[in-house]
Amino acid sequence: MKKDLISVIMAVYNCAPTVQEAIDSIINQTYANWEFIICDDCSTDNTLEIVKEYEEKYPDKFKVIRNDVNSKLSFSLNHCLKYAQGEFIARMDGDDISRSDRFEKQVKYLREHPDIDLVSTLVQRFEGDKLADIIKKPEFPDKYTQRSQVAFNHATIMTYKYVYDKCGGYTVSKRTVRAQDYDLWFRFFYHDFKGINMQEPLYLMREDMSAIKRRTFMVRFHAHRTTIKGFRLLKYPLRWYIKPTLQFIGKSLVPGFIVYKYRQIQARKAKNSTKEST
């Protein structure tokens, strides 16, 4: 492993309208010692051509690979990990934005806290040029955090390569589609790793109607299966299974347009809150 090098891993699929902004947010990081490994999951738009342009312009920084068939996020990220040379692994998504000091602050924290294996940050949702709510996470999650929420904001994480090696990477399964991070954190805590959520929104996550539509009933059903499997792995008591089961049923009954309207209300509240504090 190359000391202090960050291997950024990102899977892309039909995100041509947003991927340049996502990549540029990494190019503009104040911490410059990184490589960017991008896996195209058989996009049908010009996403591959866009990311290839970065590889041609920055051949020492970018490595672009492509799946033979569309294989979803878990497979694509594992594909990226095969090429990772860095001591650190950082995540990035093709429709989001990292603030310019994200990597600098994460590396600094890991260096100053050798007992910590992973550092995540808070996330702020946005749509267009409008910022919405900040997704809160506990600063010091533990194995019991997974009882009520996902312990870390997946796309914001920076961890060590040995963590992925010990956990066996991402689980490739229908069960983990859009729940691959939740599944990974169960195994993370099973192996007694420690992580932290920095209490700063160093990552902006795009939240629009298309993102909400991807949370289908079957996606939620398989995520619930992952919940049950994870609870068993960490030996949670049976009574703890009731709440996530009721939540799964409740969320499955809420139409997507209502969720979208709720997100818009959150955006207005966040904007008003910012005005009041300035």
Side-chain angles (χ1 to χ4, degrees), residues 184-202:
L184 180 62
W185 308 144
F186 280 119
R187 290 177 284 125
F188 177 89
F189 290 117
Y190 175 78
H191 290 294
D192 293 322
F193 287 128
K194 295 180 181 179
I196 183 176
N197 289 305
M198 299 180 72
Q199 298 298 293
E200 291 183 77
L202 299 178

Side-chain angles (χ1 to χ4, degrees), residues 67-273:
N67 295 331
D68 294 329
V69 296
N70 181 263
S71 304
K72 307 303 181 185
L73 185 58
S74 292
F75 182 94
S76 300
L77 293 179
N78 284 343
H79 197 175
C80 289
L81 286 170
K82 293 178 181 179
Y83 295 87
Q85 302 181 71
E87 177 183 10
F88 303 111
I89 304 291
R91 278 280 292 111
M92 182 67 200
D93 278 341
D95 51 359
D96 297 336
I97 300 170
S98 285
R99 295 196 184 277
S100 61
D101 56 350
R102 174 194 161 191
F103 286 175
E104 182 179 355
K105 289 183 175 180
Q106 287 180 302
V107 169
K108 183 175 185 292
Y109 191 93
L110 287 173
R111 286 294 181 227
E112 292 177 352
H113 300 83
D115 59 318
I116 297 297
D117 303 291
L118 178 150
V119 58
S120 172
T121 82
L122 298 188
V123 160
Q124 186 162 20
R125 292 187 178 100
F126 78 100
E127 182 179 2
D129 59 353
K130 297 178 181 178
L131 293 176
D133 60 314
I134 295 172
I135 302 175
K136 303 293 186 180
K137 294 287 183 184
E139 186 172 8
F140 298 104
D142 58 25
K143 65 179 291 186
Y144 299 112
T145 301
Q146 294 275 106
R147 174 190 177 186
S148 58
Q149 63 177 296
V150 181
F152 307 104
N153 289 313
H154 183 211
T156 77
I157 69 160
M158 181 181 293
T159 187
Y160 292 96
K161 181 63 164 55
Y162 66 75
V163 171
Y164 276 103
D165 292 340
K166 183 71 173 179
C167 291
Y170 293 93
T171 301
V172 179
S173 167
K174 286 185 178 180
R175 175 177 61 78
T176 58
V177 173
R178 297 193 67 80
Q180 59 284 321
D181 55 329
Y182 194 38
D183 175 80
L184 180 62
W185 308 144
F186 280 119
R187 290 177 284 125
F188 177 89
F189 290 117
Y190 175 78
H191 290 294
D192 293 322
F193 287 128
K194 295 180 181 179
I196 183 176
N197 289 305
M198 299 180 72
Q199 298 298 293
E200 291 183 77
L202 299 178
Y203 191 95
L204 303 180
M205 183 178 72
R206 198 178 304 270
E207 180 84 341
D208 53 20
M209 192 60 193
S210 63
I212 292 170
K213 284 182 177 179
R214 289 194 290 269
R215 296 166 194 157
T216 64
F217 172 80
M218 289 308 299
V219 165
R220 294 191 186 279
F221 172 72
H222 289 308
H224 183 61
R225 290 176 57 209
T226 294
T227 299
I228 300 304
K229 188 176 181 66
F231 277 28
R232 289 172 179 164
L233 181 67
L234 297 184
K235 300 186 185 307
Y236 287 177
L238 286 175
R239 66 180 182 277
W240 288 5
Y241 291 49
I242 299 173
K243 183 177 179 180
T245 300
L246 293 176
Q247 289 177 330
F248 155 65
I249 295 171
K251 289 180 178 180
S252 298
L253 295 174
V254 178
F257 76 91
I258 293 180
V259 177
Y260 183 62
K261 289 293 184 183
Y262 176 66
R263 295 286 184 240
Q264 291 180 316
I265 293 172
Q266 288 178 310
R268 287 195 293 270
K269 286 183 177 179
K271 184 177 181 179
N272 292 336
S273 178

